[in-house]
Amino acid sequence: MFCKASLITVALALIAAASPVEEKSGIRIPLEKRSSLTNADGTFNHEKAILSTAKTINKHRANLINLEKNVGRHAFNEGAEIKPVAVVPTNLTKRQSEALTDEEDDLEWAGTISIGTPAQKFLIDFDTGSSDLWVPSSSCRSSTCSSKKKYTASSSSTGSKKSGTFSIEYGDGSTVSGPVYTETVNVAGVTVKNQYFSPVTTLSSSFADDPIDGLLGLAYPAISNLGENPFFNTAIQQGAVSEGVFGFKLASSGSELYLGGTDDDLYTGSIEYHDVDTSSGFWQITGAKAYVGSKAVVSGFETIIDSGTTIMYGPPSAVRTFYKSVSGSAVYDSENGYYSFPCNSPPTVSFSWGGKQWQISAANFNLGETSSGSGKCVGALAGQDIGLGNNVWLLGDSFMKNVYTAFSFDDDAVGFAQLA
């Protein structure tokens, strides 16, 4: 599904180069750019958007299954439900195995990590919308694994197989599944021991043309399929980081994940923090408002901040209300909840949680023209029932690219700051 990727080298030298007076306690991890579902000619890649939506729905379907298993259904948001697997249309499923040659960047915010002793390196998607670590196993026989780096348990002196299995189902009928191990895991110098993860033996074909090898979840333990602490929680527990905080800058260049604090070189002013409702297992903030211009058009909803989702989603009725305030807007794809607006007069869109209004740039809200020369552009907010609750919105990269975002386990809060 994706074709070109540059492997990321973790720039630990940046830490050494810092002034002794202002030496930072955290670790910087440069990340690759995520594409915007826009074709090279500026048009909206409708098919890729449908695939991306199905992947998002199924990821959060798995999260709810995990939450029910780990905590109980009482932890669900009001109206949340475990939906049937979102099935990708047959005509698109067939195309997933075709290498795309027009892509210049990745669909994940990816960096390198190592697992085992001696270290085995992997290119990983860092995802605040899930809570497990998995990479392909040397025992994987799926054709999807052929282009991936694989974990070989027999080559590591620190791996230990545990009971149980790991499994997530995807919309093409395939799964990501495998046994459960503990291992030494290193992310840019942050090393933890006995980290639970899965070296998967089956890998969904939806990852076939994806440059990443695996995924590292950064949400709460409650939505872990493994039922164990995710990597960063283990790092906090073992004292491998000085603060239980990590920060993201996602942009067309200079993207970074910072572990053990926030990188104040990347933002100005203070960080505006908001408490998280931890019961759901997500980085979920309450009391949000969506603005078009200076007018709050939808109020009092919950928002999950998810670096593993490309765009933004809200309940269909709320998103319909939102676009009623966008001059010239129209339904573009009623089934998948996409709307269009006049390209020459993009709306000024922002979100607030009781403090500053955090604005989304016109470029980040625009997914591209409906067709070349149409003058109509597709908005990066879609009306889609993901299953997360009646009043829950999912804010992915289309929002996160406009702010510096801090995630604090120490204070159970998410914060935003102006990018430098």
Side-chain angles (χ1 to χ4, degrees):
M1 155 164 102
F2 323 98
C3 81
K4 293 184 182 177
S6 300
L7 291 180
I8 296 83
T9 302
V10 176
L12 292 176
L14 290 172
I15 307 303
S19 163
V21 178
E22 300 180 4
E23 185 175 352
K24 298 181 185 301
S25 58
I27 298 290
R28 291 172 170 146
I29 306 169
L31 301 176
E32 273 300 301
K33 176 184 175 183
R34 182 195 287 269
S35 71
S36 58
L37 303 181
T38 307
N39 294 316
D41 64 356
T43 57
F44 175 54
N45 192 325
H46 194 190
E47 294 178 355
K48 194 160 91 173
I50 292 171
L51 292 171
S52 179
T53 296
K55 207 169 181 180
T56 297
I57 291 172
N58 290 328
K59 178 178 82 169
H60 288 296
R61 174 183 183 273
N63 284 334
L64 290 176
I65 291 171
N66 299 337
L67 182 62
E68 182 178 40
K69 179 185 72 174
N70 295 335
V71 181
R73 192 171 279 266
H74 67 273
F76 281 22
N77 294 309
E78 184 178 346
E81 60 174 324
I82 299 170
K83 292 187 163 295
V85 171
V87 178
V88 175
T90 306
N91 62 316
L92 297 187
T93 304
K94 290 177 181 176
R95 297 181 199 183
Q96 281 183 284
S97 60
E98 299 172 9
L100 303 179
T101 56
D102 60 348
E103 292 300 317
E104 294 300 325
D105 46 29
D106 305 340
L107 272 186
E108 280 84 22
W109 300 102
T112 50
I113 73 167
S114 66
I115 300 175
T117 309
Q120 301 175 42
K121 293 185 178 180
F122 301 91
L123 183 63
I124 291 293
D125 174 22
F126 294 99
D127 179 15
T128 64
S130 64
S131 297
D132 291 301
L133 169 60
W134 61 261
V135 297
S137 165
S138 58
S139 300
C140 180
R141 297 294 175 257
S142 301
S143 59
T144 311
C145 284
S146 60
S147 62
K148 309 294 185 186
K149 292 182 179 176
K150 304 174 202 48
Y151 169 79
T152 303
S154 60
S155 297
S156 175
S157 63
T158 46
S160 176
K161 188 175 183 180
K162 303 297 180 182
S163 60
T165 57
F166 169 83
S167 182
I168 296 176
E169 188 174 0
Y170 284 88
D172 57 358
S174 57
T175 61
V176 175
S177 61
V180 178
Y181 274 71
T182 58
E183 255 290 15
T184 297
V185 178
N186 182 296
V187 180
V190 176
T191 301
V192 303
K193 297 177 180 179
N194 301 315
Q195 175 61 45
Y196 277 82
F197 83 110
S198 180
V200 298
T201 53
T202 62
L203 185 55
S204 168
S205 56
S206 62
F207 291 93
D209 295 308
D210 192 328
I212 65 159
D213 300 312
L215 185 144
L216 189 151
L218 290 163
Y220 282 82
I223 57 171
S224 165
N225 184 269
L226 297 170
E228 300 290 345
N229 271 346
F231 167 82
F232 194 68
N233 300 78
T234 306
I236 296 169
Q237 191 178 64
Q238 295 182 5
V241 289
S242 57
E243 294 180 58
V245 180
F246 61 91
F248 266 106
K249 175 191 174 183
L250 304 182
S252 57
S253 62
S255 297
E256 177 192 279
L257 167 62
Y258 193 86
L259 298 178
T262 57
D263 188 347
D264 53 17
D265 290 341
L266 299 183
Y267 62 90
T268 60
S270 59
I271 298 175
E272 179 186 293
Y273 277 102
H274 300 279
D275 291 342
V276 165
D277 176 3
T278 61
S279 63
S280 70
F282 297 102
W283 291 105
Q284 182 171 321
I285 323 172
T286 62
K289 293 182 179 180
Y291 289 81
V292 175
S294 60
K295 180 184 176 184
V297 295
V298 186
S299 299
F301 55 94
E302 313 232 340
T303 51
I304 292 171
I305 313 301
D306 181 3
S307 68
T309 292
T310 308
I311 65 164
M312 303 175 290
Y313 298 95
S317 59
V319 172
R320 192 180 309 119
T321 299
F322 172 92
Y323 278 105
K324 282 180 181 177
S325 294
V326 176
S327 180
S329 67
V331 175
Y332 170 67
D333 174 356
S334 58
E335 184 178 351
N336 292 288
Y338 285 100
Y339 290 75
S340 67
F341 60 89
C343 300
N344 61 4
S345 57
T348 301
V349 177
S350 59
F351 289 87
S352 171
W353 290 266
K356 182 178 177 179
Q357 286 179 227
W358 301 98
Q359 187 173 323
I360 297 172
S361 72
N364 285 333
F365 192 73
N366 182 1
L367 296 179
E369 275 191 291
T370 56
S371 60
S372 186
S374 70
K376 298 178 181 179
C377 288
V378 178
L381 171 63
Q384 183 71 242
D385 182 2
I386 304 292
L388 294 169
N390 296 335
N391 202 31
V392 179
W393 295 38
L394 193 61
L395 302 189
D397 305 336
S398 296
F399 172 76
M400 288 182 68
K401 285 189 289 187
N402 303 276
V403 294
Y404 187 87
T405 312
F407 298 83
S408 174
F409 282 107
D410 288 348
D411 296 318
D412 291 324
V414 174
F416 307 110
Q418 191 73 42
L419 289 170

